[in-house]
Amino acid sequence: MEYIDKSTFQAFENRKRARFINSLSGFKSANLIGTKDQNGLSNLSIISSAVHLGASPALIGIIFRPDVSPRHTLENIRQTKVCTLNHVNESIIKKAHQTSARYPKDISEFKACDLTEQYLEDHHAPFVKESAIKLALRLVREVPIEENGTQFLIMSIEGVYLPKEILQEDGFVNIEMAQTICVSGLDSYHTTEKKGRLNYAKPDKSPFYIT
Amino acid sequence: MEYIDKSTFQAFENRKRARFINSLSGFKSANLIGTKDQNGLSNLSIISSAVHLGASPALIGIIFRPDVSPRHTLENIRQTKVCTLNHVNESIIKKAHQTSARYPKDISEFKACDLTEQYLEDHHAPFVKESAIKLALRLVREVPIEENGTQFLIMSIEGVYLPKEILQEDGFVNIEMAQTICVSGLDSYHTTEKKGRLNYAKPDKSPFYIT
């Protein structure tokens, strides 16, 4: 076991430190955020910082670094207050990753990365047709994280699209069945293999798999 | 494809809605938070809400619901300003899950769930011996999320323990090699299978796997 103290990793070259620290929180969600600005220009951006915030009300948190690629996405959300969140699945990993390239503002990553814009119900922002699980989100509040200049966006879930067969009776959504993948670090993509769901834990009971 | 709008999922029974919404952000990290209060009593709690916040300074965000099981953990962090974050790996899934049971304050989940307290360097909080990747964290700031009564804790990374062989030359940490697992929803545990790491994306280049 190796110990890497703060002064050691702070002295890492910038890219190396970014790769290192990015790996440490564990596996991360992989989503594509779809937006459309006031002039009708769409934008698509991969993000690994979407996190469950609460079920009642239904909230998702997303961390944005304003200085890097999802910059246009953040501007669009500020303008229109809405975006979509689309799970990255196994068949679109490369296309999804490519949305992280710094395209000029007037180029839509949908077109540049060969992913399909989809408009559903009366939601303003575009969904990704190739994604099996898609959420419509609305901005609730933007929390500035002064410690590093990032923004923590609190978003409410306004609607959910998903294949009928992955929604179980008790509310659990089998995202693995929809081939949703996960990320580690800046650039490593992983499929998953289910071990099982565990029972609701109680002090006087031993844990066991329910499925 | 099924559409579940806001009013539909808001009308779900509480547990069902919690299972449903918890699944929607994608895969989540699985960590054990170790703390020790001022009287020397240790506490251990599984959490799926740790998220990468930034590499410079090295920050991790953790969302706490004060009303449920990691309640003692939050109290201990407020008292002592520190905790440890330990990756859950395949061999300790059941024990890690069992820490979510509501044990009384005077019972240490380390003992109750058969995991081993480990004290390293001069870090006050206990690490989990069975975890391969362990972080020492210090509280920077607590951000109240008034929308649902949760707390978003901004924590700085003070030190990192990991097996030497999983740290790659360029800074990437192969957490899959350390058998770190991920979670979906409230109770579903998954191992991972690496597809590969993709190149740094550029507009004029097609994406390709570098490893």
Side-chain angles (χ1 to χ4, degrees):
Chain A
M1 190 169 69
E2 183 150 350
Y3 181 49
I4 300 174
D5 68 7
K6 198 172 182 173
S7 60
T8 303
F9 67 68
Q10 280 177 337
F12 283 179
E13 174 269 324
N14 277 350
R15 284 266 182 104
K16 178 174 178 174
R17 188 179 55 250
R19 288 190 201 94
F20 178 68
I21 300 294
N22 250 285
S23 307
L24 298 179
S25 60
F27 286 103
K28 302 185 289 183
S29 57
N31 287 290
L32 286 161
I33 302 193
T35 55
K36 194 170 73 170
D37 73 11
Q38 288 166 335
N39 302 318
L41 186 70
S42 62
N43 198 280
L44 190 66
S45 180
I46 191 168
I47 203 149
S48 63
S49 64
V51 61
H52 171 75
L53 202 53
S56 185
L59 298 174
I60 280 185
I62 307 179
I63 295 144
F64 281 86
R65 298 194 51 182
D67 53 327
V68 291
S69 62
R71 181 171 81 256
H72 302 143
T73 297
L74 182 56
E75 285 165 11
N76 291 352
I77 294 174
R78 284 171 173 161
Q79 258 183 31
T80 64
K81 310 299 178 201
V82 294
C83 70
T84 67
L85 198 74
N86 309 268
H87 283 209
V88 176
N89 59 52
E90 202 178 343
S91 67
I92 58 167
I93 291 175
K94 283 186 176 180
K95 294 175 180 182
H97 182 77
Q98 184 63 18
T99 65
S100 65
R102 289 171 179 262
Y103 290 101
K105 166 87 176 137
D106 62 340
I107 290 190
S108 168
E109 289 82 4
F110 278 100
K111 197 162 257 180
C113 305
D114 192 27
L115 289 162
T116 314
E117 273 179 68
Q118 187 181 34
Y119 292 91
L120 298 169
E121 261 75 51
D122 57 350
H123 298 296
H124 168 81
F127 295 89
V128 176
K129 195 175 179 196
E130 291 82 356
S131 287
I133 302 171
K134 326 175 209 242
L135 317 183
L137 301 182
R138 176 170 294 277
L139 181 62
V140 175
R141 187 160 60 99
E142 199 173 320
V143 181
I145 307 293
E146 301 116 29
E147 284 77 4
N148 64 357
T150 58
Q151 303 290 331
F152 183 65
L153 266 59
I154 301 171
M155 314 280 298
S156 67
I157 302 176
E158 302 292 314
V160 180
Y161 296 89
L162 78 184
K164 199 176 178 131
E165 63 274 18
I166 70 166
L167 174 57
Q168 298 181 2
E169 197 65 38
D170 71 350
F172 178 75
V173 181
N174 193 331
I175 66 173
E176 182 173 286
M177 200 189 272
Q179 299 191 292
T180 296
I181 54 97
C182 60
V183 182
S184 85
L186 288 168
D187 53 20
S188 187
Y189 294 86
H190 306 253
T191 57
T192 62
E193 197 168 330
K194 193 175 171 181
K195 296 293 288 184
R197 292 177 64 192
L198 285 168
N199 64 309
Y200 186 85
K202 296 199 168 174
D204 56 349
K205 243 194 217 167
S206 290
F208 58 91
Y209 285 108
I210 54 173
T211 62
Chain B
M1 192 169 66
E2 184 152 348
Y3 181 50
I4 300 173
D5 68 7
K6 200 174 183 172
S7 59
T8 304
F9 65 68
Q10 280 176 338
F12 283 179
E13 174 270 323
N14 278 351
R15 285 265 182 101
K16 178 173 178 174
R17 189 179 54 249
R19 288 189 201 95
F20 178 69
I21 301 295
N22 249 285
S23 307
L24 298 178
S25 60
F27 286 103
K28 302 186 288 184
S29 57
N31 287 289
L32 286 161
I33 303 194
T35 55
K36 195 170 71 169
D37 73 11
Q38 288 167 335
N39 303 318
L41 187 70
S42 63
N43 199 282
L44 190 66
S45 180
I46 191 167
I47 204 149
S48 63
S49 65
V51 60
H52 171 75
L53 202 53
S56 186
L59 298 175
I60 280 185
I62 307 178
I63 295 144
F64 281 86
R65 297 193 54 182
D67 55 326
V68 290
S69 63
R71 181 173 81 255
H72 302 143
T73 297
L74 182 55
E75 285 165 12
N76 290 352
I77 294 173
R78 284 173 173 160
Q79 257 184 29
T80 63
K81 309 300 176 199
V82 294
C83 69
T84 67
L85 197 74
N86 308 268
H87 283 209
V88 177
N89 59 50
E90 204 178 341
S91 67
I92 57 168
I93 292 176
K94 283 188 176 180
K95 292 176 180 181
H97 181 76
Q98 184 63 18
T99 65
S100 65
R102 289 170 179 260
Y103 290 100
K105 167 91 176 133
D106 62 340
I107 291 190
S108 168
E109 288 81 4
F110 278 101
K111 197 161 258 181
C113 305
D114 192 26
L115 289 162
T116 315
E117 275 179 67
Q118 186 180 36
Y119 291 91
L120 297 169
E121 261 76 40
D122 57 352
H123 297 297
H124 168 78
F127 295 89
V128 176
K129 195 175 180 199
E130 290 82 356
S131 287
I133 303 172
K134 327 175 211 245
L135 318 183
L137 302 181
R138 176 170 294 277
L139 180 63
V140 175
R141 187 160 61 96
E142 198 173 321
V143 182
I145 308 294
E146 301 116 29
E147 285 76 4
N148 63 358
T150 57
Q151 303 290 331
F152 184 65
L153 266 59
I154 301 172
M155 314 280 301
S156 67
I157 302 176
E158 301 292 314
V160 180
Y161 295 89
L162 78 185
K164 201 179 177 129
E165 63 273 19
I166 69 166
L167 174 57
Q168 297 181 4
E169 197 65 40
D170 71 351
F172 177 75
V173 181
N174 193 332
I175 65 173
E176 182 172 287
M177 199 189 273
Q179 299 191 292
T180 295
I181 54 96
C182 60
V183 182
S184 87
L186 286 168
D187 53 20
S188 187
Y189 294 86
H190 307 253
T191 57
T192 64
E193 196 167 331
K194 193 175 172 181
K195 297 292 289 184
R197 292 177 62 191
L198 285 168
N199 64 309
Y200 186 85
K202 295 196 169 177
D204 57 348
K205 241 193 218 170
S206 289
F208 57 92
Y209 285 106
I210 54 174
T211 62

